[in-house]
Amino acid sequence: MTPHRWVMEEPGTPLVRVEFDLQEPSSNEVIVEVAGCGVCHTDLGFFYGGVRTKHALPLALGHEISGRVVKTGEDAAAWQDKAVIIPAVIPCGSCDLCDRGRGTICRGQKSPGIDMHGGFATHIAVPSAGLCAIDTERLADVGMELADASVIADALTTPYQAILQAELEAGDLAVVIGVGGVGGYAVQISSAKGATVVAIDVDQAKLDQLEGHGASLRINATEVQGRDVRDAIRQFAKDNDLRQTEWKIFECSGTATGQNTAFGLMTYGSCLSVVGFTMDKVEVRLSNLMAFHARALGNWGCLPEHYPDALELVLTGKVSMLPFIERHPLSQINEIFARAHDGQLTRRAILVPDASH
Amino acid sequence: MTPHRWVMEEPGTPLVRVEFDLQEPSSNEVIVEVAGCGVCHTDLGFFYGGVRTKHALPLALGHEISGRVVKTGEDAAAWQDKAVIIPAVIPCGSCDLCDRGRGTICRGQKSPGIDMHGGFATHIAVPSAGLCAIDTERLADVGMELADASVIADALTTPYQAILQAELEAGDLAVVIGVGGVGGYAVQISSAKGATVVAIDVDQAKLDQLEGHGASLRINATEVQGRDVRDAIRQFAKDNDLRQTEWKIFECSGTATGQNTAFGLMTYGSCLSVVGFTMDKVEVRLSNLMAFHARALGNWGCLPEHYPDALELVLTGKVSMLPFIERHPLSQINEIFARAHDGQLTRRAILVPDASH
């Protein structure tokens, strides 16, 4: 397979296939042969939404990447031939912030498809620091191929870190707003950790998909709105002997409407996790944080050190991925971007390099 | 002195002196002879701002109280004759939330002057749980009378808990917005904990007052605004070898303008503490919490268990109170409320029951 990547030359104009020569990796780098790369709303934001990449164009997008290491620099030799997930946010690993465990705000961090060429390609060069090794036999045991694991980077690990930060515990009531590609995993992970989960979305199909995957109460926000949402959750909590305080709310829709709903559900001791991103502002009574002794937490990606634990949820079958993903040939990237943008995909698309191209 | 309290019969109409008979305390209760009670903006909110008390009117306001225990119930006998600070928020101490250390959101909590008669009185009956004993000899060593310690409840302990929650550490850059009765202590406590502190206010007199009390940089928000505030702090951080990330921001003004300034100063890894209260909403890009991996924390009062440590800052001279307080006779309560409301007081007023009334 000739090494190539699909690059964005300008937002909105078709992505272009560009061949390149594989370079020798530098001492701490590896070359990964891409097994698959998930299509995230962040990619669509760059392509359709006018969000700017940090690296100049042309640039290959794609930051949810799994694959196999095919070349290593001298200090990364241990990674040769390993199956890996590449973290969506790769901290430098050597600055003061990294030393203090604050790698997600490391100012030298690199994200494939944002700071450097990404995973919509046959190969990618990345630092070895932070790579997450995968046991492909165990992956096969849960019916998954290496390509499928790509989505663990970002779509699964970002809510995973949000859930860690929110200190979610067994017995908690979790509310997930927006249960698409990211929020669906927020539901599953919360449930796996022993919380009872309320899922809220405007799309009934997405809610239905989560039946049997951890969402005990599913609220269609086109039918139930405003105070009625809160009342429905209060009643549900009452019926299920759950607390009326300390709800853990995960805003994953990345919309102003979703954020307003999330803020309005805040109760005494609540933790509101802002997982989805929108440029839109919202008008909120910030002092409610004080009146409710509540907190609002953001998180940027997920520290690589948490990837193995997040992966373990998948390998042990506690989190299901197969019903929520679908593979497509990388050569169809322009069509898949368009379909994802138009909301025609009910599952997260994974682009798999096709041998014939 | 005939037991009496000054009660609010209706918001805005003069407070009225009402005599009462001292009751026998119930088994877990004590009767405290009030030494002093601080006038907080919360009291003014009830009296002028239409904020509703939880207890029906007529009600004595006042929740910053120090005094001496003069009667005890049978299970509270150990408190007899002790000098104490009464917590502004008194958790019930026996519910599930209290058991889990979440007393500030205890649904059975009581606040003097909100849920029960408060401290603008000669005597007050309160649960003994949570009382903070004071060594009046040590208090005298720093030039203070028992009445002066009243302000520790709320004005000092609320920012104290906010600073604990924000995990403020030596070497941090703290930004305090609104340096009046509460924010001034946020400045002093932050400085005592080894942070370098930037104070922001619209009132130059309040900023000047904090010179020599922990505010290394003082910004008058009527002169420096918008991005210039951020730029000034960045330059200050640079000049003082402080981080450009993880600023700890304490919003103590309780105004929408202050909250907007606070939100706008958020940087990578920041912690924004919402200490002041306003009913006003603000329009913010909530997703900045995600983009900056930042957090916004509210806190309601302060757990009684933290009072001794907060008091210790005063007793060891690390936090100065005398320059920021002034005593007035309780009988002048109506005049003092009016002057406080009109912004004529530069120090926090403490009302002291006067023997002749």
Side-chain angles (χ1 to χ4, degrees):
Chain A
M1 184 158 38
T2 314
H4 65 271
R5 53 176 77 102
W6 287 79
V7 300
M8 177 169 82
E9 295 182 326
E10 279 181 71
T13 65
L15 302 161
V16 175
R17 182 183 185 280
V18 176
E19 297 187 357
F20 63 93
D21 293 327
L22 284 187
Q23 304 289 315
E24 286 304 311
S26 63
S27 64
N28 287 307
E29 254 184 4
V30 300
I31 307 289
V32 174
E33 188 178 76
V34 175
C37 182
V39 178
C40 174
H41 282 267
T42 307
D43 298 312
L44 304 180
F46 291 132
F47 191 68
Y48 294 103
V51 183
R52 294 182 63 152
T53 58
K54 291 191 190 154
H55 188 284
L57 302 182
L59 180 75
L61 301 174
H63 54 271
E64 293 185 343
I65 311 163
S66 59
R68 195 169 288 277
V69 175
V70 291
K71 278 196 185 195
T72 60
E74 57 192 61
D75 293 339
W79 288 100
Q80 184 66 40
D81 298 328
K82 291 251 166 76
V84 294
I85 304 168
I86 300 171
V89 173
I90 309 170
C92 81
S94 58
C95 69
D96 167 60
L97 285 161
C98 285
D99 284 348
R100 290 187 290 113
R102 308 291 320 253
T104 61
I105 56 167
C106 161
R107 298 296 76 225
Q109 67 178 228
K110 301 286 178 204
S111 286
I114 299 174
D115 300 289
M116 56 202 260
H117 282 302
F120 298 135
T122 56
H123 298 79
I124 178 174
V126 290
S128 64
L131 287 174
C132 174
I134 309 184
D135 180 337
T136 49
E137 286 186 21
R138 291 186 67 200
L139 201 60
D141 288 345
V142 290
M144 289 171 67
E145 295 185 9
L146 182 53
D148 302 330
S150 59
V151 174
I152 290 172
D154 202 13
L156 195 140
T157 47
T158 298
Y160 183 83
Q161 170 150 311
I163 286 163
L164 280 188
Q165 274 200 160
E167 297 169 307
L168 187 86
E169 291 175 2
D172 279 345
L173 174 63
V175 181
V176 180
I177 297 165
V179 292
V182 171
Y185 295 114
V187 170
Q188 289 199 67
I189 299 165
S190 297
S191 175
K193 287 187 173 280
T196 303
V197 187
V198 177
I200 304 177
D201 206 296
V202 291
D203 183 343
Q204 189 62 43
K206 287 187 178 152
L207 291 166
D208 292 343
Q209 236 180 347
L210 285 167
E211 196 171 350
H213 288 289
S216 300
L217 175 66
R218 297 172 297 284
I219 297 176
N220 186 322
T222 64
E223 294 166 5
V224 185
Q225 286 163 341
R227 281 176 180 274
D228 291 344
V229 177
R230 170 183 278 256
D231 289 346
I233 301 175
R234 277 195 178 148
Q235 187 61 47
F236 173 79
K238 195 176 170 191
D239 294 344
N240 291 276
D241 286 328
L242 298 165
R243 295 184 191 123
Q244 297 292 351
T245 57
E246 302 155 279
W247 295 349
K248 306 274 168 83
I249 303 158
F250 298 92
E251 201 317 289
C252 300
S253 75
T255 66
T257 311
Q259 291 185 343
N260 274 317
T261 300
F263 211 89
L265 288 175
M266 196 183 285
T267 180
Y268 294 98
S270 270
C271 179
L272 163 57
S273 299
V274 181
V275 183
F277 183 82
T278 172
M279 292 290 284
D280 293 342
K281 292 184 172 186
V282 289
E283 200 185 22
V284 293
R285 184 177 293 124
L286 207 57
S287 296
N288 282 2
L289 289 168
M290 175 216 178
F292 288 130
H293 201 141
R295 56 202 170 122
L297 309 179
N299 69 295
W300 182 253
C302 176
L303 284 176
E305 66 200 59
H306 298 314
Y307 273 60
D309 289 342
L311 169 62
E312 196 64 19
L313 290 174
V314 175
L315 295 179
T316 54
K318 289 180 182 159
V319 167
S320 298
M321 296 188 69
L322 286 178
F324 305 96
I325 53 178
E326 57 188 31
R327 289 176 225 128
H328 297 275
L330 175 57
S331 56
Q332 292 176 17
I333 186 169
N334 282 303
E335 184 192 338
I336 295 300
F337 263 47
R339 287 174 60 195
H341 183 56
D342 291 344
Q344 293 175 24
L345 301 178
T346 55
R347 299 169 174 213
R348 199 169 194 83
I350 296 168
L351 297 177
V352 178
D354 28 350
S356 58
H357 286 74
Chain B
M1 183 158 38
T2 314
H4 64 271
R5 53 176 77 103
W6 287 79
V7 300
M8 176 168 82
E9 294 183 326
E10 279 182 71
T13 65
L15 302 161
V16 175
R17 182 181 184 280
V18 176
E19 297 187 357
F20 63 94
D21 292 328
L22 284 187
Q23 304 290 316
E24 286 305 309
S26 64
S27 64
N28 287 306
E29 254 184 5
V30 300
I31 308 289
V32 173
E33 188 179 76
V34 175
C37 182
V39 178
C40 174
H41 282 268
T42 307
D43 298 312
L44 304 180
F46 292 132
F47 191 69
Y48 294 102
V51 182
R52 295 182 62 151
T53 58
K54 292 190 189 154
H55 188 286
L57 302 182
L59 181 74
L61 301 174
H63 54 270
E64 294 185 343
I65 311 165
S66 58
R68 195 169 289 277
V69 175
V70 291
K71 280 196 184 194
T72 60
E74 57 192 57
D75 293 341
W79 288 99
Q80 185 65 41
D81 298 329
K82 290 250 167 77
V84 294
I85 303 168
I86 300 170
V89 174
I90 309 170
C92 81
S94 57
C95 69
D96 168 60
L97 285 160
C98 285
D99 284 348
R100 292 188 287 112
R102 308 291 320 253
T104 61
I105 58 168
C106 161
R107 300 295 76 226
Q109 67 177 228
K110 301 285 179 205
S111 286
I114 299 174
D115 300 288
M116 57 202 259
H117 282 304
F120 299 135
T122 57
H123 298 80
I124 178 174
V126 291
S128 65
L131 287 174
C132 174
I134 309 184
D135 180 337
T136 49
E137 285 186 22
R138 291 187 66 201
L139 201 60
D141 288 346
V142 289
M144 289 171 67
E145 295 185 9
L146 181 53
D148 302 331
S150 59
V151 174
I152 290 171
D154 202 13
L156 195 140
T157 47
T158 298
Y160 183 83
Q161 170 150 310
I163 286 163
L164 280 188
Q165 275 200 161
E167 298 168 308
L168 187 86
E169 290 175 1
D172 279 346
L173 174 64
V175 181
V176 180
I177 298 164
V179 292
V182 171
Y185 295 113
V187 169
Q188 288 199 67
I189 298 165
S190 298
S191 175
K193 287 187 173 280
T196 303
V197 187
V198 177
I200 304 178
D201 206 297
V202 291
D203 183 343
Q204 188 62 42
K206 286 186 178 152
L207 291 166
D208 291 344
Q209 238 180 345
L210 285 166
E211 196 171 350
H213 289 289
S216 300
L217 175 66
R218 297 172 297 283
I219 297 177
N220 186 322
T222 63
E223 294 166 5
V224 184
Q225 286 163 341
R227 281 176 181 272
D228 290 344
V229 177
R230 171 182 276 256
D231 289 346
I233 300 175
R234 277 193 178 149
Q235 187 62 46
F236 174 78
K238 195 176 169 191
D239 294 344
N240 291 275
D241 285 329
L242 298 165
R243 295 183 190 122
Q244 296 293 350
T245 57
E246 302 156 279
W247 295 350
K248 306 274 167 83
I249 303 158
F250 298 92
E251 201 315 290
C252 301
S253 75
T255 66
T257 311
Q259 291 184 344
N260 273 316
T261 299
F263 211 89
L265 287 176
M266 195 183 285
T267 179
Y268 294 99
S270 270
C271 179
L272 163 57
S273 299
V274 182
V275 184
F277 183 81
T278 172
M279 292 290 283
D280 293 343
K281 293 183 172 186
V282 289
E283 200 185 20
V284 293
R285 183 176 294 126
L286 208 57
S287 297
N288 281 3
L289 289 167
M290 175 216 178
F292 287 131
H293 201 141
R295 56 202 169 121
L297 309 180
N299 68 295
W300 182 253
C302 176
L303 285 175
E305 67 200 59
H306 298 314
Y307 273 59
D309 289 342
L311 170 62
E312 196 63 20
L313 290 174
V314 175
L315 295 178
T316 54
K318 288 179 183 161
V319 167
S320 298
M321 298 189 68
L322 286 179
F324 304 98
I325 53 178
E326 57 189 31
R327 289 176 224 130
H328 297 274
L330 175 57
S331 57
Q332 292 176 17
I333 186 169
N334 282 302
E335 183 193 339
I336 295 300
F337 263 48
R339 287 175 60 195
H341 183 55
D342 291 344
Q344 292 175 25
L345 301 179
T346 54
R347 299 169 173 213
R348 199 169 194 85
I350 296 169
L351 297 178
V352 178
D354 30 349
S356 58
H357 286 74

